[in-house]
Amino acid sequence: MWVCGALCRARAPAQLGQRRLPESRRRRPASASFSASAEPSRVRALVYGHHGDPAKVVELKNLELAAVGGSDVHVKMLAAPINPSDINMIQGNYGLLPQLPAVGGNEGVGQVVAVGSSVTGVKPGDWVIPANPGLGTWRTEAVFGEEELITVPSDIPLQCAATLGVNPCTAYRMLVDFERLQPGDSVIQNASNSGVGQAVIQIAAALGLRTINVLRDRPDLQKLTDRLKNLGADHIVTEEGLRKPEMKSFFKDVPQPRLALNCVGGKSSTELLRHLAPGGTMVTYGGMAKQPVIASASQLIFKDLKLRGFWLSQWKKDHSPGHVELGQLLAHQVNNILFKWWKEETLAPGD
């Protein structure tokens, strides 16, 4: 799902009176104030003042666009997706929560309109994405600090640019950080139709890795299977098929995976563990089933399986004294890997 086009067409309801946060509570120089003004500096945004059900707490509001300071960048948002993490953040169930009131949206791509006098890293016309979550991308335009933005190529599909900063980077780091995989090795994953899942398929194909992609059964399974194979998927299996005895014959021809990527939890993650090669690793980066990950004692003792977790925001904090420089390098590295696929395909919404 996408936000920015709808914002441009929407009309904001009656606004609150002018209100500015005290200087001590402003999260960044780019913070906007609520405004009833009809002046040209007004922009539309989806704002929540407290945590709860997004359908009840998110409101379309008019914001006053902040003046562009010396190190600031005026950005017009071009596209912004709606991700599960966006919903979790609004609900208050995420590892990072912005100061309230906040504009929703962690991802998106915008075009630079103007820059401050001391800005050197971006120029008008550049495409930019957030360097870190919590920036608030569900708005028509905003003024951000230069350090909060990463430049991306403007010759990739718009939807790919808008989703480059989180899902593909998550996929890449999980593929390279936990097991020393070589071309020909296998990776198994659930939620294979998710944004991360599709990025895993494409990056793995570029790295010469085989993917075993688990999907929920559905009426349009063949259509989805064809689409994922067009992205580079090697094998597609349903959750039900993964539990069948025939999988033993399957792994006579396909190497047992040394890496499993879990976004679901519950029974689905248990099945991933069951098919991991001895000494393999399962990395959990989501919990869509809202059920715990369960591993048997025998899997840990006799197969020496490893259970790990991954969160891109924490990875950036742990690996870089300069988050923006690292984020820019990572985004460009992933973009280079995926470029040949992105000329033909776009990442679809999550499963």
Side-chain angles (χ1 to χ4, degrees), residues 112-254:
V112 175
V113 176
V115 301
S117 58
S118 61
V119 172
T120 59
V122 298
K123 62 184 184 301
D126 285 351
W127 280 15
V128 292
I129 63 175
N132 289 298
L135 195 60
T137 56
W138 294 353
R139 53 179 123 193
T140 53
E141 54 187 305
V143 174
F144 301 119
E146 180 184 10
E147 76 282 356
E148 297 176 306
L149 302 170
I150 294 172
T151 58
V152 296
S154 59
D155 59 351
I156 61 177
L158 185 66
Q159 291 186 1
C160 294
T163 57
L164 173 63
V166 177
N167 291 339
C169 293
T170 294
Y172 177 73
R173 293 261 54 105
M174 291 193 300
L175 285 171
V176 303
D177 285 353
F178 295 94
E179 289 286 340
R180 294 184 178 180
L181 301 177
Q182 302 297 323
D185 286 345
S186 295
V187 177
I188 190 170
Q189 65 167 340
N190 55 26
S192 303
N193 187 43
S194 67
V196 171
Q198 292 183 74
V200 165
I201 290 170
Q202 295 172 83
I203 296 172
L207 298 176
L209 305 175
R210 303 185 190 186
T211 55
I212 303 165
N213 302 280
V214 184
L215 297 170
R216 291 180 291 107
D217 202 0
R218 64 194 72 205
D220 63 342
L221 180 62
Q222 188 58 52
K223 181 179 179 180
L224 177 57
T225 296
D226 293 341
R227 183 158 63 85
L228 295 183
K229 286 197 171 183
N230 285 337
L231 290 179
D234 295 286
H235 307 283
I236 305 291
V237 60
T238 63
E239 296 273 5
E240 293 77 12
L242 199 62
R243 301 185 183 104
K244 292 182 178 179
E246 288 81 359
M247 289 304 296
K248 290 184 178 180
S249 298
F250 173 82
F251 283 114
K252 290 180 180 179
D253 301 319
V254 177

Side-chain angles (χ1 to χ4, degrees), residues 92-123:
N93 300 323
Y94 197 65
L96 182 154
L97 298 176
Q99 192 175 54
L100 301 179
V103 177
N106 291 308
E107 273 195 292
V109 62
Q111 187 170 39
V112 175
V113 176
V115 301
S117 58
S118 61
V119 172
T120 59
V122 298
K123 62 184 184 301

